[in-house]
């Protein structure tokens, strides 16, 4: 009897059968399978279980994580239908993501680094940022949730980190039917960590800060601001914990006024300035206000700036919010242009997935026109190299920016 049991064929894996004309996207290696593309599920699968993705003609296309509550009904782990999704798979994927960073000399020596950039690193729903020897992990999909232990083990092995903290508390988890979750997964201790970023010391609150605690994607752009700042008066809008402000001071700005509407962020920003005694703190001013109001107030006061940074939160999480978001982007860019001194520069960003670069450029152009400024793009800006964009996944290119000079 035993022998029979041993050689029984294993239960067949559940299969997600695609609608007849809906397999293009998977064939082109896009990792999201929307509910509208699913004809049916054959077999039983719980949230996060691995399913085989099969075309309407019966061709095996991929292995994916089933997510019954989400409009993104499945996220592909592998386009090799023979791939076995197990602990070893995550070990390989996590090690490969870390190796990709190691292969980029420009990232060497950075203490704050994104190690896993979700879909663009082949791991949908998995974000891992490291701050020194602490890794912060965010799991945002049912599939990622199911493989938490494997991912944690793989991260620990690939990085040798001392601590791993979970920050799976973003709103997108709700769309997957997942509760927020945070806390230590490996090690423990203080949730405030410090890193050096291009000559600046920064404290990061991995438990209470935004996202995993810091916006690592703007690292290169903060450095760029530093290179432009010598002798300049800078206005840093949506400053969070002062990353751009401190680079501007490092670069020799004569004054940096920083605005944010979050008091905890401003407290941390002041603390960060104090961590850098080499900087002249008398040149920094922090302002707790809404940028929308403060830009108007500064204009009424007749203020002028040589450089203005606009790095707002995500106004359009998806395309359906694009129109409303466009009005908000137009507003801040319009008032930003009005406040620039002749020859000044606007460093303006959108991190909205719902607004593409072409649309963003149109909005900024409209703002310049309405402000009566003659402008040119000096540089196009994007996320740092540890936030790569898989070519088959354009949604990964959420951060876009323009450096615009006015006459
Ligand atoms: N530039 C920052 C990241 C900005 S994140 C960096 O490099 O680290 C966006 C910031 O905008 C958050 O700190 C948030 O508190 C702030 N914010 C959101 N809405 C705002 C508003 N209307 N006025 C001012 N700040 C706002």
């Amino acid at each position: 009897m035993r022998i029979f049991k041993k050689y029984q064929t294993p239960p067949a894996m559940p299969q997600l059968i695609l609608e007849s004309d809906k397999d293009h996207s998977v064939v082109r290696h896009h990792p999201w399978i929307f509910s509208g593309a699913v004809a049916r599920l054959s077999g039983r699968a719980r949230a996060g279980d691995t399913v085989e993705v099969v075309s309407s003609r019966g061709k095996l296309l991929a292995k994916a994580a089933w997510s019954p509550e989400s409009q993104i009904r499945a996220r592909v782990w592998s386009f090799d239908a023979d791939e076995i999704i197990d602990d070893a798979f995550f070990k390989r994927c996590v090690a490969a993501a870390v190796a990709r960073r190691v292969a980029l000399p420009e990232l060497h020596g950075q203490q704050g680094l994104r190690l896993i950039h979700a879909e663009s690193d082949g791991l949908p729903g998995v974000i891992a940022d490291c701050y020194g020897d602490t890794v912060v992990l965010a799991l945002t999909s049912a599939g990622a949730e199911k493989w938490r232990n494997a991912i944690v083990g793989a991260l620990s092995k690939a990085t040798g980190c001392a601590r791993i903290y979970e920050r799976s508390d973003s709103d997108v988890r709700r769309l997957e039917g997942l509760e927020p979750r945070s806390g230590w997964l490996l090690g423990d201790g203080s949730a405030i960590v410090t890193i050096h970023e291009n000559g600046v010391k920064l404290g990061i609150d991995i438990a209470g800060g935004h996202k995993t605690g810091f916006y690592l994607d703007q690292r290169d752009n903060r450095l760029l601001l530093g290179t432009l700042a010598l002798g300049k008066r800078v206005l840093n809008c949506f400053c969070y914990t002062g990353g751009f402000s401190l680079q501007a001071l490092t670069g020799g700005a004569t004054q940096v006024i920083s605005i944010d509407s979050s008091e905890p962020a401003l407290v941390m920003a002041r603390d960060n300035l104090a961590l850098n005694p080499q900087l002249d703190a008398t040149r920094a001013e922090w302002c707790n206000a809404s940028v929308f109001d403060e830009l108007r107030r500064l204009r009424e006061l007749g203020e002028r700036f040589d450089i203005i940074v606009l790095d707002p939160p995500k106004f359009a999480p998806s395309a359906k919010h694009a129109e409303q978001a466009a009005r908000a982007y137009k507003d801040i860019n319009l008032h930003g242009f009005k406040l620039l001194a002749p020859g000044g520069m606007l460093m303006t960003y959108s991190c909205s997935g719902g607004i593409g670069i072409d649309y963003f450029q149109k909005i900024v152009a409209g703002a310049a026109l309405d402000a009566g400024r003659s402008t040119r793009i000096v540089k196009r800006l994007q996320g740092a190299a540890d936030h790569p964009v898989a070519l088959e996944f354009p949604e990964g290119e959420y951060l876009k920016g323009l450096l615009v000079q006015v006459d």
Side-chain angles (χ1 to χ4, degrees):
M1 285 311 280
R2 271 219 167 140
I3 284 180
F4 274 120
K5 242 191 180 153
K6 194 167 171 195
Y7 290 104
Q8 263 173 8
T9 45
M13 183 170 280
Q15 292 194 327
L16 181 164
I17 321 286
L18 293 168
E19 289 281 2
S20 58
D21 56 346
K22 293 285 168 75
D23 58 1
H24 316 76
S25 160
V26 181
V27 168
R28 295 176 63 88
H29 288 196
H30 192 286
W32 291 350
I33 300 170
F34 284 94
S35 57
V38 180
R40 66 195 166 86
L41 182 76
S42 131
R44 283 154 65 100
R46 283 168 308 168
D49 283 353
T50 303
V51 297
E52 287 176 335
V53 181
V54 185
S55 76
S56 57
R57 290 198 208 100
K59 186 164 188 248
L60 288 178
L61 298 173
K63 291 259 173 71
W66 177 242
S67 192
E69 304 241 348
S70 172
Q71 279 312 303
I72 303 174
R73 201 50 54 89
R75 290 166 199 257
V76 173
W77 289 129
S78 176
F79 294 96
D80 173 358
D82 293 329
E83 185 91 68
I84 295 166
I85 309 303
D86 58 3
D87 286 17
F89 169 79
F90 288 96
K91 213 185 232 178
R92 286 195 300 278
C93 285
V94 170
V98 172
R100 268 174 219 131
R101 275 74 184 163
V102 173
L104 294 171
E106 67 174 280
L107 297 175
H108 293 178
Q110 291 295 348
Q111 294 178 346
L113 204 62
R114 173 147 299 187
L115 298 175
I116 303 175
H117 193 42
E119 278 79 353
S120 291
D121 276 306
L123 289 168
V126 183
I127 298 279
D129 288 342
C130 85
Y131 301 108
D133 65 358
T134 302
V135 172
V136 183
L137 178 66
L139 304 174
T140 59
S141 65
E145 174 85 5
K146 179 179 168 102
W147 291 98
R148 173 182 287 103
N149 289 344
I151 294 163
V152 170
L155 269 170
S156 156
K157 179 139 189 359
T159 64
C161 63
R163 313 192 299 168
I164 301 180
Y165 190 85
E166 178 165 16
R167 278 297 300 277
S168 302
D169 54 6
S170 88
D171 289 345
V172 293
R173 267 175 74 92
R174 239 176 273 144
L175 303 175
E176 297 268 322
L178 301 170
E179 293 294 316
R181 220 180 122 133
S182 48
W184 290 107
L185 296 166
L186 178 73
D188 57 13
S190 171
I192 308 290
V193 296
T194 49
I195 60 164
H196 282 91
E197 183 189 88
N198 297 321
V200 164
K201 198 169 174 188
L202 294 161
I204 289 155
D205 180 356
I206 60 168
H210 295 177
K211 299 190 177 191
T212 66
F214 194 51
Y215 292 88
L216 290 169
D217 51 359
Q218 289 284 30
R219 184 194 310 111
D220 293 355
N221 297 323
R222 287 189 282 264
L223 188 61
L224 173 65
L225 175 66
T227 67
L228 300 168
L230 185 63
K232 306 290 190 210
R233 187 171 193 230
V234 177
L235 180 65
N236 179 15
C237 301
F238 309 96
C239 68
Y240 188 47
T241 56
F244 276 101
S245 314
L246 268 56
Q247 283 298 345
L249 291 170
T250 302
T254 51
Q255 192 189 20
V256 182
I257 298 180
S258 308
I259 311 170
D260 204 281
S261 57
S262 156
E263 186 55 28
L266 289 170
V267 167
M268 196 93 191
R270 285 195 186 89
D271 289 350
N272 281 338
L273 180 56
L275 285 176
N276 292 273
Q278 77 281 11
L279 302 178
D280 181 352
T282 63
R283 296 183 177 190
E285 217 175 275
W286 306 99
C287 171
N288 183 342
S290 165
V291 167
F292 293 90
D293 302 337
E294 190 61 14
L295 290 178
R296 288 173 168 80
R297 199 184 72 88
L298 289 166
R299 172 98 176 118
E300 277 162 23
L301 293 172
E303 299 281 353
R304 288 282 186 176
F305 296 90
D306 301 306
I307 305 177
I308 299 178
V309 180
L310 296 172
D311 183 24
K314 207 182 330 182
F315 289 150
S318 69
K320 72 169 188 258
H321 305 95
E323 214 174 293
Q324 196 186 342
R327 280 196 289 276
Y329 285 118
K330 171 90 181 276
D331 187 86
I332 55 174
N333 281 279
L334 171 72
H335 289 93
F337 278 125
K338 284 185 178 174
L339 279 167
L340 280 175
M345 292 209 219
L346 190 69
M347 196 181 239
T348 180
Y349 298 95
S350 162
C351 62
S352 292
I355 301 231
I357 178 63
D358 292 347
Y359 191 19
F360 183 59
Q361 188 172 320
K362 259 190 204 145
I363 296 167
V364 176
L369 191 69
D370 287 4
R373 304 303 295 254
S374 156
T375 57
R376 68 209 62 77
I377 296 171
V378 182
K379 226 179 184 32
R380 293 178 187 282
L381 308 168
Q382 59 182 25
D386 48 339
H387 295 64
V389 182
L391 273 173
E392 59 273 17
F393 184 66
E395 292 85 346
E397 196 164 18
Y398 62 97
L399 180 63
K400 56 252 54 73
L402 298 169
L403 182 63
V404 182
Q405 191 174 38
V406 302
D407 283 345

